[in-house]
Amino acid sequence: MSQMGPDATFREGLERGEIRLQKCRSCGQSVFFPRVACPNCHGIDLDWQQVSGKGEVYTTTTVRRKPERGGDYNVCMVELAEGARMMSRVTGFAPDLVAIGMAVTLFVGDIDDTAAVLCKPAEV
Amino acid sequence: MTHELRGKSAIAGLGHAGFGEAHGQTAYEIMAEASLTALADAGLGLGDVDGLFCTMMEDSMPVLMAAEYLGIQPGVMEGTMFGGSSFVDYLGKATMALNAGLCDVALICYGSNQRTAAGRLVTASRVPPYEGLYQPRYPVSAYAMAAARHMYEYGTTREQLADVAVAARAWARHNPEAFERGELTREDVLNARMISDPLGVRDCCLVTDGGGALVLVRGERAGDFPNAPVHVLGVGAGSTHRQISQMPDFTTTGARESGKRAFEMAGVGPGDIDVVELYDAFTINTILFLEDLGFCAKGDGGAFVADGRIAPGGALPVNTNGGGLSCVHPGMYGIFTIIEAARQIRGDAPGMQLDGVELALAHGNGGVLSSQVTAILGAASTV
Ligand SMILES: [Zn+2]
């Protein structure tokens, strides 16, 4: 039996290319960021669930950066189909064209060699 | 039924120091200068202070550093740190301590040399663990995402955001203490360099040096000091998150709760307020807080601030010193909302002094729209 806490369990998933998301058995709410008690009902019975990878952009910003430093990039809040919300980035797409309400697919990629949950526009 | 803390404390003295650029001064020196000014304003000295309420951008135990610097050993010390709103919150905590007889003279103080120390400024904050990887620019990207959502849900426009900055500048142009006093048009704001869309550099607060201080005493003693007293009628706090990604609804802040609590304690409502001082770290703040505090309906904030409504001569005076956008913003602006509100009530505002101000609202914001604290201040006639 592992002694890993919710944070380490989530990060281990990322290293393996999995997006691990908690779900509260008491109230059914998806929970992100990972923690030891449900922020909605305060129950402690949290399970890990498979995520569909489907999501929608809740809000977005283009962070301006000089071209010689890598250029502009996107930072957004993505709402997972399962209900939780997290910060992410839409990649492979012009940052200023990322729009609220846009359907995205979540995947595990990396930023500066660290595993991260990223998004790409969903295939229509 | 009247709340038991309503009017139980009053601001007997206020002061500031180091506005703009305080070359060669440390943050604690600026804090101390502001404190000495506030105490002199109240006809008191450091030896009278037995309650100290302070936090700073640097150090993990700033209230101890401040007490040590000032050479005092107060029996009541309070250094809760939840951002710029902490100072508005200290009004409530100081009122409790004074009312309970735990202290007789409470000093609330702050100082920062954020502008002239740029490059070697140390912040005690760590990067939020589930956000840092994505490199949002803190804190502007958080506010930008709130603005984007407000625009999406309610049709708020960049022009309306710009009008907040234009109104703040129009007030600042009357205030010799304000850091930015040049003319600013809507086009200037719209054409300014973008930082994190939809916010450009003129949608963002200043980075200045500066410090402020307040001296609080029990309400029953309020008449014993040289200046007209400013009574603390109500204080309320609310918090919704720390990291922006945990904000439940990006268009509604904890100001809805903090405002409700402060108004309830004071026994007044938004329609009674003569002047409003809001923590305008970014242009979207003013819109969100006017809505959440009940000055207009949710979603109507953009239209509400347009066309000079909150500017000099408008229906509702907001941020009459020029705010954090144009007057002063040394890392945390919260204490300056109280200072300007109190000066408007006393009748000695440095810029445009409004006529007959009896009730003022001061509202502090902390973190990334995370913590909100509202205070209602009143002239002697309101107690
Ligand atoms: Zn639950």
mmCIF file of all heavy atoms in Angstrom, chain A residues 5-43:
data_model
loop_
_atom_site.group_PDB
_atom_site.id
_atom_site.type_symbol
_atom_site.label_atom_id
_atom_site.label_comp_id
_atom_site.label_asym_id
_atom_site.label_seq_id
_atom_site.Cartn_x
_atom_site.Cartn_y
_atom_site.Cartn_z
ATOM 1 N N GLY A 5 0.550 10.695 -1.254
ATOM 2 C CA GLY A 5 -0.614 11.566 -1.092
ATOM 3 C C GLY A 5 -1.257 11.864 -2.434
ATOM 4 O O GLY A 5 -0.715 11.507 -3.493
ATOM 5 N N PRO A 6 -2.395 12.537 -2.419
ATOM 6 C CA PRO A 6 -3.107 12.855 -3.667
ATOM 7 C C PRO A 6 -2.253 13.636 -4.662
ATOM 8 O O PRO A 6 -2.318 13.389 -5.869
ATOM 9 C CB PRO A 6 -4.296 13.690 -3.187
ATOM 10 C CG PRO A 6 -4.482 13.325 -1.760
ATOM 11 C CD PRO A 6 -3.134 12.965 -1.221
ATOM 12 N N ASP A 7 -1.442 14.545 -4.163
ATOM 13 C CA ASP A 7 -0.614 15.346 -5.070
ATOM 14 C C ASP A 7 0.395 14.470 -5.805
ATOM 15 O O ASP A 7 0.533 14.562 -7.021
ATOM 16 C CB ASP A 7 0.099 16.451 -4.267
ATOM 17 C CG ASP A 7 0.989 17.302 -5.146
ATOM 18 O OD1 ASP A 7 0.447 18.191 -5.827
ATOM 19 O OD2 ASP A 7 2.217 17.060 -5.185
ATOM 20 N N ALA A 8 1.091 13.616 -5.057
ATOM 21 C CA ALA A 8 2.088 12.737 -5.678
ATOM 22 C C ALA A 8 1.425 11.751 -6.622
ATOM 23 O O ALA A 8 1.979 11.413 -7.677
ATOM 24 C CB ALA A 8 2.879 12.002 -4.595
ATOM 25 N N THR A 9 0.226 11.279 -6.270
ATOM 26 C CA THR A 9 -0.497 10.343 -7.134
ATOM 27 C C THR A 9 -0.834 11.004 -8.462
ATOM 28 O O THR A 9 -0.670 10.425 -9.535
ATOM 29 C CB THR A 9 -1.794 9.885 -6.436
ATOM 30 O OG1 THR A 9 -1.454 9.333 -5.165
ATOM 31 C CG2 THR A 9 -2.534 8.860 -7.269
ATOM 32 N N PHE A 10 -1.280 12.262 -8.390
ATOM 33 C CA PHE A 10 -1.590 13.009 -9.614
ATOM 34 C C PHE A 10 -0.329 13.186 -10.462
ATOM 35 O O PHE A 10 -0.337 12.947 -11.670
ATOM 36 C CB PHE A 10 -2.182 14.373 -9.237
ATOM 37 C CG PHE A 10 -2.296 15.327 -10.386
ATOM 38 C CD1 PHE A 10 -3.248 15.143 -11.371
ATOM 39 C CD2 PHE A 10 -1.436 16.421 -10.481
ATOM 40 C CE1 PHE A 10 -3.348 16.029 -12.443
ATOM 41 C CE2 PHE A 10 -1.525 17.302 -11.553
ATOM 42 C CZ PHE A 10 -2.481 17.105 -12.537
ATOM 43 N N ARG A 11 0.756 13.577 -9.796
ATOM 44 C CA ARG A 11 1.990 13.841 -10.543
ATOM 45 C C ARG A 11 2.598 12.566 -11.123
ATOM 46 O O ARG A 11 3.168 12.579 -12.210
ATOM 47 C CB ARG A 11 2.990 14.582 -9.652
ATOM 48 C CG ARG A 11 2.503 16.001 -9.363
ATOM 49 C CD ARG A 11 3.478 16.860 -8.582
ATOM 50 N NE ARG A 11 2.791 18.049 -8.066
ATOM 51 C CZ ARG A 11 2.514 19.144 -8.784
ATOM 52 N NH1 ARG A 11 2.876 19.227 -10.042
ATOM 53 N NH2 ARG A 11 1.873 20.170 -8.236
ATOM 54 N N GLU A 12 2.434 11.457 -10.416
ATOM 55 C CA GLU A 12 2.895 10.177 -10.951
ATOM 56 C C GLU A 12 2.116 9.846 -12.227
ATOM 57 O O GLU A 12 2.679 9.369 -13.205
ATOM 58 C CB GLU A 12 2.687 9.076 -9.908
ATOM 59 C CG GLU A 12 3.181 7.718 -10.378
ATOM 60 C CD GLU A 12 2.612 6.596 -9.521
ATOM 61 O OE1 GLU A 12 1.363 6.425 -9.486
ATOM 62 O OE2 GLU A 12 3.412 5.913 -8.880
ATOM 63 N N GLY A 13 0.810 10.150 -12.209
ATOM 64 C CA GLY A 13 -0.013 9.928 -13.401
ATOM 65 C C GLY A 13 0.509 10.722 -14.581
ATOM 66 O O GLY A 13 0.665 10.193 -15.690
ATOM 67 N N LEU A 14 0.813 11.971 -14.342
ATOM 68 C CA LEU A 14 1.326 12.820 -15.430
ATOM 69 C C LEU A 14 2.589 12.222 -16.030
ATOM 70 O O LEU A 14 2.752 12.187 -17.257
ATOM 71 C CB LEU A 14 1.640 14.228 -14.896
ATOM 72 C CG LEU A 14 0.480 15.198 -14.671
ATOM 73 C CD1 LEU A 14 1.030 16.579 -14.306
ATOM 74 C CD2 LEU A 14 -0.413 15.299 -15.902
ATOM 75 N N GLU A 15 3.469 11.734 -15.168
ATOM 76 C CA GLU A 15 4.723 11.140 -15.657
ATOM 77 C C GLU A 15 4.440 9.940 -16.550
ATOM 78 O O GLU A 15 5.216 9.612 -17.439
ATOM 79 C CB GLU A 15 5.617 10.730 -14.479
ATOM 80 C CG GLU A 15 6.142 11.901 -13.636
ATOM 81 C CD GLU A 15 6.917 12.940 -14.458
ATOM 82 O OE1 GLU A 15 7.616 12.536 -15.413
ATOM 83 O OE2 GLU A 15 6.799 14.134 -14.151
ATOM 84 N N ARG A 16 3.316 9.275 -16.298
ATOM 85 C CA ARG A 16 2.935 8.105 -17.104
ATOM 86 C C ARG A 16 2.010 8.482 -18.256
ATOM 87 O O ARG A 16 1.465 7.618 -18.935
ATOM 88 C CB ARG A 16 2.236 7.072 -16.218
ATOM 89 C CG ARG A 16 3.165 6.490 -15.177
ATOM 90 C CD ARG A 16 2.430 5.476 -14.331
ATOM 91 N NE ARG A 16 3.296 4.981 -13.262
ATOM 92 C CZ ARG A 16 2.927 4.075 -12.374
ATOM 93 N NH1 ARG A 16 1.708 3.570 -12.424
ATOM 94 N NH2 ARG A 16 3.770 3.679 -11.441
ATOM 95 N N GLY A 17 1.771 9.754 -18.408
ATOM 96 C CA GLY A 17 0.911 10.201 -19.511
ATOM 97 C C GLY A 17 -0.567 10.111 -19.225
ATOM 98 O O GLY A 17 -1.397 10.166 -20.132
ATOM 99 N N GLU A 18 -0.920 9.972 -17.939
ATOM 100 C CA GLU A 18 -2.345 9.871 -17.562
ATOM 101 C C GLU A 18 -2.792 11.133 -16.839
ATOM 102 O O GLU A 18 -2.062 11.676 -16.031
ATOM 103 C CB GLU A 18 -2.565 8.713 -16.571
ATOM 104 C CG GLU A 18 -2.166 7.359 -17.068
ATOM 105 C CD GLU A 18 -2.090 6.352 -15.910
ATOM 106 O OE1 GLU A 18 -2.596 6.649 -14.797
ATOM 107 O OE2 GLU A 18 -1.494 5.279 -16.126
ATOM 108 N N ILE A 19 -4.028 11.548 -17.144
ATOM 109 C CA ILE A 19 -4.630 12.642 -16.371
ATOM 110 C C ILE A 19 -5.507 12.005 -15.299
ATOM 111 O O ILE A 19 -6.541 11.401 -15.611
ATOM 112 C CB ILE A 19 -5.464 13.580 -17.272
ATOM 113 C CG1 ILE A 19 -4.597 14.152 -18.393
ATOM 114 C CG2 ILE A 19 -6.088 14.707 -16.427
ATOM 115 C CD1 ILE A 19 -5.381 14.894 -19.471
ATOM 116 N N ARG A 20 -5.076 12.094 -14.052
ATOM 117 C CA ARG A 20 -5.829 11.496 -12.955
ATOM 118 C C ARG A 20 -6.653 12.580 -12.270
ATOM 119 O O ARG A 20 -6.136 13.616 -11.881
ATOM 120 C CB ARG A 20 -4.875 10.848 -11.946
ATOM 121 C CG ARG A 20 -4.120 9.667 -12.533
ATOM 122 C CD ARG A 20 -3.165 9.073 -11.514
ATOM 123 N NE ARG A 20 -2.446 7.935 -12.082
ATOM 124 C CZ ARG A 20 -1.402 7.348 -11.494
ATOM 125 N NH1 ARG A 20 -0.964 7.796 -10.318
ATOM 126 N NH2 ARG A 20 -0.806 6.317 -12.060
ATOM 127 N N LEU A 21 -7.927 12.304 -12.139
ATOM 128 C CA LEU A 21 -8.852 13.289 -11.568
ATOM 129 C C LEU A 21 -9.641 12.624 -10.446
ATOM 130 O O LEU A 21 -10.134 11.506 -10.603
ATOM 131 C CB LEU A 21 -9.809 13.767 -12.673
ATOM 132 C CG LEU A 21 -10.843 14.822 -12.288
ATOM 133 C CD1 LEU A 21 -10.179 16.162 -11.991
ATOM 134 C CD2 LEU A 21 -11.866 14.984 -13.426
ATOM 135 N N GLN A 22 -9.743 13.308 -9.330
ATOM 136 C CA GLN A 22 -10.495 12.746 -8.213
ATOM 137 C C GLN A 22 -11.996 12.944 -8.398
ATOM 138 O O GLN A 22 -12.433 13.907 -9.018
ATOM 139 C CB GLN A 22 -10.069 13.409 -6.894
ATOM 140 C CG GLN A 22 -8.694 12.985 -6.420
ATOM 141 C CD GLN A 22 -8.318 13.722 -5.145
ATOM 142 O OE1 GLN A 22 -8.361 14.944 -5.102
ATOM 143 N NE2 GLN A 22 -7.944 12.984 -4.117
ATOM 144 N N LYS A 23 -12.756 12.009 -7.840
ATOM 145 C CA LYS A 23 -14.220 12.129 -7.804
ATOM 146 C C LYS A 23 -14.672 11.775 -6.396
ATOM 147 O O LYS A 23 -14.212 10.808 -5.803
ATOM 148 C CB LYS A 23 -14.834 11.166 -8.820
ATOM 149 C CG LYS A 23 -16.341 11.339 -9.003
ATOM 150 C CD LYS A 23 -16.858 10.291 -9.995
ATOM 151 C CE LYS A 23 -18.352 10.362 -10.200
ATOM 152 N NZ LYS A 23 -18.788 11.498 -11.013
ATOM 153 N N CYS A 24 -15.552 12.608 -5.864
ATOM 154 C CA CYS A 24 -16.032 12.393 -4.502
ATOM 155 C C CYS A 24 -17.166 11.371 -4.507
ATOM 156 O O CYS A 24 -18.151 11.530 -5.223
ATOM 157 C CB CYS A 24 -16.517 13.716 -3.908
ATOM 158 S SG CYS A 24 -17.271 13.529 -2.288
ATOM 159 N N ARG A 25 -17.018 10.315 -3.714
ATOM 160 C CA ARG A 25 -18.060 9.277 -3.653
ATOM 161 C C ARG A 25 -19.302 9.780 -2.931
ATOM 162 O O ARG A 25 -20.389 9.273 -3.141
ATOM 163 C CB ARG A 25 -17.527 8.064 -2.891
ATOM 164 C CG ARG A 25 -16.653 7.171 -3.723
ATOM 165 C CD ARG A 25 -16.499 5.856 -2.995
ATOM 166 N NE ARG A 25 -15.515 5.003 -3.635
ATOM 167 C CZ ARG A 25 -15.239 3.777 -3.229
ATOM 168 N NH1 ARG A 25 -15.866 3.281 -2.178
ATOM 169 N NH2 ARG A 25 -14.346 3.073 -3.850
ATOM 170 N N SER A 26 -19.130 10.740 -2.068
ATOM 171 C CA SER A 26 -20.280 11.214 -1.279
ATOM 172 C C SER A 26 -21.198 12.117 -2.097
ATOM 173 O O SER A 26 -22.412 11.957 -2.067
ATOM 174 C CB SER A 26 -19.797 11.976 -0.045
ATOM 175 O OG SER A 26 -18.873 11.195 0.672
ATOM 176 N N CYS A 27 -20.609 13.076 -2.840
ATOM 177 C CA CYS A 27 -21.471 14.036 -3.540
ATOM 178 C C CYS A 27 -21.337 13.941 -5.057
ATOM 179 O O CYS A 27 -22.064 14.610 -5.786
ATOM 180 C CB CYS A 27 -21.167 15.472 -3.073
ATOM 181 S SG CYS A 27 -19.596 16.117 -3.659
ATOM 182 N N GLY A 28 -20.385 13.129 -5.528
ATOM 183 C CA GLY A 28 -20.260 12.932 -6.965
ATOM 184 C C GLY A 28 -19.470 13.995 -7.706
ATOM 185 O O GLY A 28 -19.284 13.932 -8.913
ATOM 186 N N GLN A 29 -18.982 14.987 -6.978
ATOM 187 C CA GLN A 29 -18.274 16.077 -7.648
ATOM 188 C C GLN A 29 -16.849 15.681 -8.032
ATOM 189 O O GLN A 29 -16.155 15.024 -7.272
ATOM 190 C CB GLN A 29 -18.235 17.309 -6.723
ATOM 191 C CG GLN A 29 -17.492 18.485 -7.339
ATOM 192 C CD GLN A 29 -18.002 19.825 -6.816
ATOM 193 O OE1 GLN A 29 -19.208 20.080 -6.760
ATOM 194 N NE2 GLN A 29 -17.087 20.671 -6.408
ATOM 195 N N SER A 30 -16.430 16.099 -9.223
ATOM 196 C CA SER A 30 -15.028 15.944 -9.607
ATOM 197 C C SER A 30 -14.220 17.001 -8.887
ATOM 198 O O SER A 30 -14.676 18.134 -8.716
ATOM 199 C CB SER A 30 -14.871 16.118 -11.113
ATOM 200 O OG SER A 30 -15.464 15.032 -11.791
ATOM 201 N N VAL A 31 -13.010 16.633 -8.471
ATOM 202 C CA VAL A 31 -12.203 17.511 -7.628
ATOM 203 C C VAL A 31 -10.838 17.756 -8.259
ATOM 204 O O VAL A 31 -10.097 16.808 -8.534
ATOM 205 C CB VAL A 31 -12.024 16.894 -6.216
ATOM 206 C CG1 VAL A 31 -11.078 17.749 -5.381
ATOM 207 C CG2 VAL A 31 -13.363 16.743 -5.501
ATOM 208 N N PHE A 32 -10.537 19.009 -8.524
ATOM 209 C CA PHE A 32 -9.191 19.397 -8.915
ATOM 210 C C PHE A 32 -8.912 20.735 -8.261
ATOM 211 O O PHE A 32 -9.779 21.616 -8.266
ATOM 212 C CB PHE A 32 -9.041 19.531 -10.448
ATOM 213 C CG PHE A 32 -7.595 19.720 -10.829
ATOM 214 C CD1 PHE A 32 -6.755 18.635 -10.995
ATOM 215 C CD2 PHE A 32 -7.062 21.004 -10.949
ATOM 216 C CE1 PHE A 32 -5.407 18.819 -11.313
ATOM 217 C CE2 PHE A 32 -5.716 21.180 -11.252
ATOM 218 C CZ PHE A 32 -4.893 20.090 -11.437
ATOM 219 N N PHE A 33 -7.781 20.926 -7.618
ATOM 220 C CA PHE A 33 -6.614 20.108 -7.554
ATOM 221 C C PHE A 33 -6.805 18.954 -6.582
ATOM 222 O O PHE A 33 -7.702 18.988 -5.735
ATOM 223 C CB PHE A 33 -5.394 20.972 -7.133
ATOM 224 C CG PHE A 33 -5.578 21.729 -5.839
ATOM 225 C CD1 PHE A 33 -5.168 21.183 -4.639
ATOM 226 C CD2 PHE A 33 -6.196 22.986 -5.827
ATOM 227 C CE1 PHE A 33 -5.333 21.868 -3.451
ATOM 228 C CE2 PHE A 33 -6.366 23.668 -4.634
ATOM 229 C CZ PHE A 33 -5.929 23.112 -3.452
ATOM 230 N N PRO A 34 -5.958 17.926 -6.689
ATOM 231 C CA PRO A 34 -6.103 16.745 -5.838
ATOM 232 C C PRO A 34 -5.890 17.067 -4.363
ATOM 233 O O PRO A 34 -4.992 17.813 -4.013
ATOM 234 C CB PRO A 34 -5.007 15.800 -6.349
ATOM 235 C CG PRO A 34 -4.076 16.634 -7.150
ATOM 236 C CD PRO A 34 -4.842 17.817 -7.637
ATOM 237 N N ARG A 35 -6.769 16.514 -3.511
ATOM 238 C CA ARG A 35 -6.651 16.800 -2.076
ATOM 239 C C ARG A 35 -7.240 15.674 -1.245
ATOM 240 O O ARG A 35 -7.732 14.693 -1.790
ATOM 241 C CB ARG A 35 -7.270 18.155 -1.751
ATOM 242 C CG ARG A 35 -8.690 18.335 -2.184
ATOM 243 C CD ARG A 35 -9.112 19.819 -2.109
ATOM 244 N NE ARG A 35 -9.036 20.458 -3.413
ATOM 245 C CZ ARG A 35 -9.409 21.722 -3.671
ATOM 246 N NH1 ARG A 35 -9.844 22.503 -2.726
ATOM 247 N NH2 ARG A 35 -9.337 22.214 -4.874
ATOM 248 N N VAL A 36 -7.184 15.830 0.065
ATOM 249 C CA VAL A 36 -7.585 14.734 0.956
ATOM 250 C C VAL A 36 -9.050 14.815 1.368
ATOM 251 O O VAL A 36 -9.586 13.860 1.914
ATOM 252 C CB VAL A 36 -6.703 14.649 2.228
ATOM 253 C CG1 VAL A 36 -5.240 14.405 1.863
ATOM 254 C CG2 VAL A 36 -6.845 15.912 3.071
ATOM 255 N N ALA A 37 -9.704 15.942 1.137
ATOM 256 C CA ALA A 37 -11.127 16.054 1.469
ATOM 257 C C ALA A 37 -11.835 16.817 0.361
ATOM 258 O O ALA A 37 -11.257 17.716 -0.258
ATOM 259 C CB ALA A 37 -11.323 16.764 2.801
ATOM 260 N N CYS A 38 -13.072 16.481 0.105
ATOM 261 C CA CYS A 38 -13.848 17.120 -0.963
ATOM 262 C C CYS A 38 -14.162 18.569 -0.575
ATOM 263 O O CYS A 38 -14.734 18.811 0.496
ATOM 264 C CB CYS A 38 -15.139 16.352 -1.189
ATOM 265 S SG CYS A 38 -16.293 17.187 -2.287
ATOM 266 N N PRO A 39 -13.795 19.533 -1.421
ATOM 267 C CA PRO A 39 -14.073 20.934 -1.075
ATOM 268 C C PRO A 39 -15.561 21.272 -1.153
ATOM 269 O O PRO A 39 -15.983 22.298 -0.638
ATOM 270 C CB PRO A 39 -13.273 21.727 -2.112
ATOM 271 C CG PRO A 39 -13.124 20.802 -3.271
ATOM 272 C CD PRO A 39 -13.095 19.411 -2.712
ATOM 273 N N ASN A 40 -16.342 20.386 -1.766
ATOM 274 C CA ASN A 40 -17.774 20.651 -1.899
ATOM 275 C C ASN A 40 -18.554 20.176 -0.675
ATOM 276 O O ASN A 40 -19.285 20.950 -0.062
ATOM 277 C CB ASN A 40 -18.306 19.981 -3.168
ATOM 278 C CG ASN A 40 -19.775 20.264 -3.400
ATOM 279 O OD1 ASN A 40 -20.188 21.425 -3.346
ATOM 280 N ND2 ASN A 40 -20.566 19.232 -3.632
ATOM 281 N N CYS A 41 -18.378 18.888 -0.298
ATOM 282 C CA CYS A 41 -19.186 18.341 0.805
ATOM 283 C C CYS A 41 -18.318 18.000 2.008
ATOM 284 O O CYS A 41 -18.841 17.586 3.046
ATOM 285 C CB CYS A 41 -19.953 17.110 0.340
ATOM 286 S SG CYS A 41 -18.905 15.656 0.120
ATOM 287 N N HIS A 42 -16.994 18.131 1.850
ATOM 288 C CA HIS A 42 -16.028 17.868 2.921
ATOM 289 C C HIS A 42 -15.911 16.389 3.272
ATOM 290 O O HIS A 42 -15.296 16.034 4.277
ATOM 291 C CB HIS A 42 -16.327 18.725 4.162
ATOM 292 C CG HIS A 42 -16.417 20.198 3.841
ATOM 293 N ND1 HIS A 42 -17.270 21.060 4.461
ATOM 294 C CD2 HIS A 42 -15.761 20.936 2.914
ATOM 295 C CE1 HIS A 42 -17.153 22.281 3.940
ATOM 296 N NE2 HIS A 42 -16.233 22.217 2.992
ATOM 297 N N GLY A 43 -16.486 15.522 2.414
ATOM 298 C CA GLY A 43 -16.306 14.083 2.591
ATOM 299 C C GLY A 43 -14.863 13.691 2.277
ATOM 300 O O GLY A 43 -14.140 14.411 1.588
#
